[in-house]
Amino acid sequence: AVFDDNSSLLPHFITVSNIDSVDPAVVSHGNERVIRPRFADAKFFWEQDRKTTLSARLQSLESVVFQQKLGSIGDKVIRVRMLAGYLAGVIGADVREAERAAELCKCDLMTDMVGEFPKLQGIMGQYYARHDGESDAVAAAIEDHYRPRFAGDDLPAGPAGQTVALADRIDTMMGIFAIGQKPTGVKDPFGLRRAALGVIRILVEKGLDIDIAECCQHAAQGLEDKVDASAAISEVVAYIYDRLKAYYQDQNVRYDVVDAVLETSPSVLTDLHSRVVAVDAFLQQDAALALAAANKRISNILKKQEATISDRVDSSLLAEAAEQDLYQHLQQAAAQAETFLLNRDYQAYLNQLAALRSPVDRFFDEVMVMADDLDLRNNRLALLNNLAQRFLKVADFSRIQS
């Protein structure tokens, strides 16, 4: 197909022939003869399909099996409608628009046009919805809920399309995991890898503050009459997290940065993304790698302790100047830290912690952590644990590679 500079379709096409014809006009004419009847078919389907509204086709979705144990596409539409409405409420979108778009999103599968030209699913749904008098937001969402169809594809533009796209994918993942047909190394018949990456892209790149675990919980409730999906919640969340590594690899983010953030298990992907960006930027500083190495050293020290170590420090037991200095710096940093964390300003929070490099270096140079005096030893371990916990509010820096 050929388009003009404004992306408008032109009445021309390009075809490639694998012969060196003595009369190219014959080849052109032959291709035109093939295309014209297809256009005639499309025109006929267009005129016939518009005689029945999309909503009138809802009942016929009951006759199409989505998956034997999970019911029909009609059953799936009911679940997607419920989940899309919930998600719209979470992000402050129009719940009625999201639910209506979800209700109609699969109806064009029952049209003659999509039956003949399957790649037009969603696209024809939008046109038919507009013809039926549905709102622009609902019509656009019907096409948009299939996006992203492939790597690099556009995302759903409006909130209705975004919520239906998320609901459709999460319902599929939850259902397929619940019946024990999760993807293997070579088999992924329901496209769950692509679905998971679609969920990640929509949530992260559209900045939607949606808790993945809670979303999966609601999806499980919708499946109750078909299958017990409660055990699949943690599996689907883990599966989405695992796909995050591939997503950030495409963004040229270090794998150890993603691992470090994933260790803190933030269930809102926009929050996770803010952490990844902050840690990635923080590691460009000279102080960052030194502090990461210190964190790894602290982690190793604490792991060797048989008893649980507190992070509460008794200031009266701080005998050495170096440990007093570190404690004072930690106290000063605490004043603004909570504000930074509440605002998800992780970069400012980490920059504040970067100032601890000198006190930390001095502490390890001058203080014997494993002192003979048990009270001094436990207090020093508590001081190190306090420091480690500050970093753990953003990521597990012990997983950063030098």
Side-chain angles (χ1 to χ4, degrees), residues 147-155 197 201 205 247 250-251:
R147 292 191 171 108
R149 301 179 186 89
F150 49 84
D153 191 19
D154 292 338
L155 298 177
L197 284 170
R201 284 196 61 202
E205 295 174 29
Y247 173 75
D250 289 342
Q251 310 296 317

Side-chain angles (χ1 to χ4, degrees), residues 294 297-298 301 359-367 369 384 387:
R297 183 175 178 181
I298 292 168
I301 292 171
V360 169
D361 288 346
R362 185 185 174 196
F363 177 88
F364 281 118
D365 285 342
E366 300 179 13
V367 178
V369 177
L384 292 180
L387 174 62

Side-chain angles (χ1 to χ4, degrees), residues 275 295 311 313 326-338 341 346 349-350 352-353 356 383-395 397:
R275 294 166 186 253
N295 259 274
D311 62 354
V313 180
L326 177 57
Y327 177 73
Q328 288 170 3
H329 276 83
L330 283 171
Q331 292 300 101
Q332 291 166 6
Q336 267 190 311
E338 289 307 313
L341 291 173
Y346 298 118
Y349 178 81
L350 290 175
Q352 184 187 58
L353 293 183
L356 296 173
L383 181 60
L384 292 180
N385 192 25
N386 186 288
L387 174 62
Q389 294 303 318
R390 302 293 178 93
F391 281 93
L392 277 172
K393 290 182 183 294
V394 178
F397 277 80

Side-chain angles (χ1 to χ4, degrees), residues 98-387:
E99 290 180 341
R100 183 60 172 170
E103 192 173 49
L104 301 177
C105 71
K106 304 298 183 185
C107 289
D108 68 345
L109 298 178
M110 307 309 295
T111 63
D112 291 335
M113 184 76 85
V114 174
E116 185 68 20
F117 304 103
K119 290 183 179 180
L120 293 180
Q121 64 180 9
I123 296 171
M124 294 314 303
Q126 175 176 183
Y127 284 117
Y128 291 143
R130 292 185 191 280
H131 177 264
D132 294 346
E134 301 291 342
S135 71
D136 288 345
V138 168
I142 292 172
E143 179 178 356
D144 268 359
H145 93 281
Y146 286 106
R147 292 191 171 108
R149 301 179 186 89
F150 49 84
D153 191 19
D154 292 338
L155 298 177
Q162 292 159 13
T163 55
V164 178
L166 290 169
D168 188 22
R169 288 164 172 79
I170 290 173
D171 172 76
T172 298
M173 285 191 285
M174 285 295 299
I176 300 303
F177 268 80
I179 61 173
Q181 293 191 21
K182 57 187 177 183
T184 63
V186 292
K187 293 183 179 180
D188 185 16
F190 287 88
L192 299 193
R193 292 185 185 89
R194 186 171 64 251
L197 284 170
V199 168
I200 290 167
R201 284 196 61 202
I202 293 168
L203 290 176
V204 171
E205 295 174 29
K206 290 298 180 179
L208 305 182
D209 281 354
I210 293 172
D211 187 301
I212 282 288
E214 290 181 7
C215 183
C216 290
Q217 176 67 51
H218 276 77
Q221 292 171 6
L223 286 159
E224 283 177 349
D225 65 330
K226 302 293 182 187
V227 63
D228 181 4
S230 57
I233 295 171
S234 59
E235 283 189 292
V236 171
V237 172
Y239 185 75
I240 292 172
Y241 278 6
D242 198 45
R243 301 280 79 72
L244 276 164
K245 296 175 183 178
Y247 173 75
Y248 282 112
Q249 186 176 32
D250 289 342
Q251 310 296 317
N252 296 317
V253 176
R254 289 168 44 170
Y255 74 92
D256 56 336
V257 169
V258 181
D259 277 346
V261 173
L262 286 175
E263 280 296 305
T264 63
S265 301
S267 57
V268 177
L269 294 194
T270 47
D271 181 33
L272 182 147
H273 182 67
S274 296
R275 294 166 186 253
V276 168
V277 171
V279 173
D280 196 45
F282 179 63
L283 290 178
Q284 308 308 313
Q285 300 183 38
D286 291 339
L289 288 178
L291 286 169
N295 259 274
K296 190 170 292 188
R297 183 175 178 181
I298 292 168
S299 177
N300 290 334
I301 292 171
L302 296 176
K303 283 177 183 176
K304 293 176 181 178
Q305 308 311 308
E306 294 180 2
T308 302
I309 303 300
S310 169
D311 62 354
R312 294 186 178 181
V313 180
D314 184 346
S315 58
S316 66
L317 292 175
L318 299 172
E320 303 287 342
E323 58 184 332
Q324 294 169 4
D325 184 44
L326 177 57
Y327 177 73
Q328 288 170 3
H329 276 83
L330 283 171
Q331 292 300 101
Q332 291 166 6
Q336 267 190 311
E338 289 307 313
T339 302
F340 289 142
L341 291 173
L342 284 172
N343 295 329
R344 292 189 190 170
D345 191 351
Y346 298 118
Q347 201 153 344
Y349 178 81
L350 290 175
N351 288 339
Q352 184 187 58
L353 293 183
L356 296 173
R357 177 184 178 176
S358 294
V360 169
D361 288 346
R362 185 185 174 196
F363 177 88
F364 281 118
D365 285 342
E366 300 179 13
V367 178
M368 174 66 71
V369 177
M370 305 305 290
D372 292 334
D373 186 303
L374 190 59
D375 289 337
L376 284 179
R377 180 196 307 172
N378 287 337
N379 201 52
R380 287 167 183 172
L381 289 170
L383 181 60
L384 292 180
N385 192 25
N386 186 288
L387 174 62

